[in-house]
């Protein structure tokens, strides 16, 4: 979970024709009542390879709008040239992000007393009213830092909600969370679901595929194709954007000055 005031860098490179892949939701998803896809199956098909094209899960066909498998190498400080648009914001993408051997790397560390972190918007500020996001990634086990894939309000109004999956300190077992729209208060912030925390079966030190399905009436969270949990109590209703964010831990623990952590992203794919 994050502060609504974080400024992030933007990755605007897409390898998919928007004319071919961007489209509206299925008719059933536009219906006034909840569609058949408001349920959550225990297992879905996942592949370690970058997904290409539309997929059908939980009674809905998701139309792919973006995919990226980072095939263009880029050393530290050159990612903004190889991936135009990446590098704006208060974070330090020029010192953190690089691409090698088909993997986007976040190199997290402290420099002159300042922790260096970064965030990426895979499909820019593209608004999604529902969506499916998959990421294949791994992390080191490193104290003081965390990584999450976030669906965040396009309006930057935190009270509209927030979806976090995967989210965990580096090397820990990720757990999903979705903020209840309209639940914000100055005293407690947002209220998150599920009320009882659920965790992935394994930690993030090996490659895994984490998938979020934000459907009409339900948000589902999958780890390597197996359902971790779902919620019908915290489902956004306004446009959201996708963010990959590596940051300092929010647990309040001290960040070791000597800590060096890595987040390795093999690929990311987005569907509407």
């Amino acid at each position: 979970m994050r502060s609504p005031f974080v400024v992030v860098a933007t990755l605007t490179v897409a390898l998919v024709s928007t004319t071919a892949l961007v489209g509206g939701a299925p008719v059933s998803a536009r219906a006034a009542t909840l569609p058949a896809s408001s349920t959550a199956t225990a297992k879905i098909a996942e592949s370690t390879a970058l997904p290409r094209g539309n997929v059908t899960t939980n009674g809905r066909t998701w139309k792919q709008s973006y995919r990226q498998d980072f095939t263009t190498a880029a050393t530290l400080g050159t990612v903004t040239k190889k991936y135009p648009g990446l590098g704006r914001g208060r974070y330090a993408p020029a010192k953190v992000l690089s691409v090698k051997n088909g993997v986007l790397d976040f190199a997290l560390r402290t420099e002159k007393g300042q922790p260096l972190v970064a965030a990426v918007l895979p499909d820019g500020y593209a608004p999604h009213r529902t969506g499916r996001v998959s990421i294949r990634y791994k992390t080191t086990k490193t104290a003081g830092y965390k990584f999450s894939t976030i669906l965040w309000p396009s309006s930057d109004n935190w009270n509209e909600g927030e979806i976090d999956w995967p989210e965990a300190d580096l090397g820990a077992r990720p757990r999903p969370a979705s903020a209840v729209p309209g639940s914000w208060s100055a005293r407690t912030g947002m209220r998150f679901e599920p009320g009882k925390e659920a965790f992935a079966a394994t930690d993030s030190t090996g490659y895994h595929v984490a998938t979020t399905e934000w459907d009409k009436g339900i948000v589902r969270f999958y780890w390597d194709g197996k359902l971790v949990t779902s919620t019908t109590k915290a489902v956004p209703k306004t446009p959201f954007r996708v963010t990959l964010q590596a940051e300092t831990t929010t647990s309040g623990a001290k960040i070791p000055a000597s800590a060096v952590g890595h987040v390795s992203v093999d690929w990311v794919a987005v569907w509407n």
Side-chain angles (χ1 to χ4, degrees):
M1 302 158 198
R2 72 174 205 173
S3 161
F5 304 108
V6 173
V7 178
V8 297
T10 306
L11 177 60
T12 57
V13 175
L15 303 183
V16 181
S17 166
T18 55
T19 301
L21 293 181
V22 173
V27 173
S28 61
R30 293 194 183 112
T33 58
L34 293 183
S37 55
S38 62
T39 59
T41 57
K43 192 172 183 179
I44 59 174
E46 291 283 21
S47 171
T48 59
L50 173 69
R52 297 178 182 276
N54 300 342
V55 298
T56 299
T57 62
N58 289 292
R60 174 172 174 173
T61 297
W62 302 90
K63 297 183 178 181
Q64 191 171 57
S65 59
Y66 174 89
R67 62 177 179 256
Q68 176 62 271
D69 58 356
F70 306 104
T71 56
T72 301
T75 58
L76 284 172
T78 68
V79 174
T80 55
K81 296 179 181 178
K82 300 294 180 66
Y83 295 86
L86 183 64
R88 295 187 290 272
R90 292 186 299 203
Y91 285 178
K95 295 183 177 182
V96 171
L97 300 175
S98 64
V99 177
K100 183 179 180 180
N101 298 327
V103 172
L104 172 66
D105 179 67
F106 292 72
L108 310 173
R109 63 198 185 280
T110 295
E111 185 176 286
K112 297 180 180 179
Q114 177 63 51
L116 300 179
V117 296
V120 169
L121 276 68
D123 55 349
Y125 288 88
H128 303 273
R129 289 189 173 273
T130 56
R132 186 177 195 268
V133 182
S134 286
I135 177 174
R136 184 172 189 259
Y137 82 111
K138 68 176 181 179
T139 75
T140 55
K141 187 175 180 62
T142 307
Y145 296 92
K146 64 177 290 189
F147 175 76
S148 57
T149 298
I150 303 168
L151 281 160
W152 182 256
S154 297
S155 66
D156 287 322
N157 179 2
W158 193 19
N159 200 32
E160 293 178 7
E162 169 188 2
I163 301 173
D164 304 318
W165 177 247
E167 180 183 40
D169 288 349
L170 298 194
R173 291 167 59 198
R175 65 101 178 91
S178 186
V180 177
S183 67
W184 184 88
S185 76
R187 184 175 62 86
T188 61
M190 294 291 282
R191 180 166 61 86
F192 283 80
E193 291 289 337
K196 182 180 179 180
E197 288 188 328
F199 293 85
T202 53
D203 64 32
S204 61
T205 56
Y207 272 113
H208 294 279
V209 177
T211 298
T212 300
E213 290 189 349
W214 165 29
D215 213 334
K216 293 293 181 71
I218 191 169
V219 182
R220 312 177 192 94
F221 307 98
Y222 289 92
W223 186 252
D224 292 331
K226 295 182 179 180
L227 183 69
V228 177
T229 190
S230 63
T231 179
T232 58
K233 298 178 180 179
V235 184
K237 296 181 179 179
T238 56
F240 275 39
R241 61 177 181 260
V242 180
T243 303
L244 312 181
Q245 182 165 296
E247 60 181 329
T248 53
T249 181
T250 54
S251 67
K254 184 178 180 180
I255 302 167
S258 60
V260 177
H262 289 270
V263 178
S264 303
V265 179
D266 183 25
W267 50 257
V268 59
V270 182
W271 295 260
N272 288 313

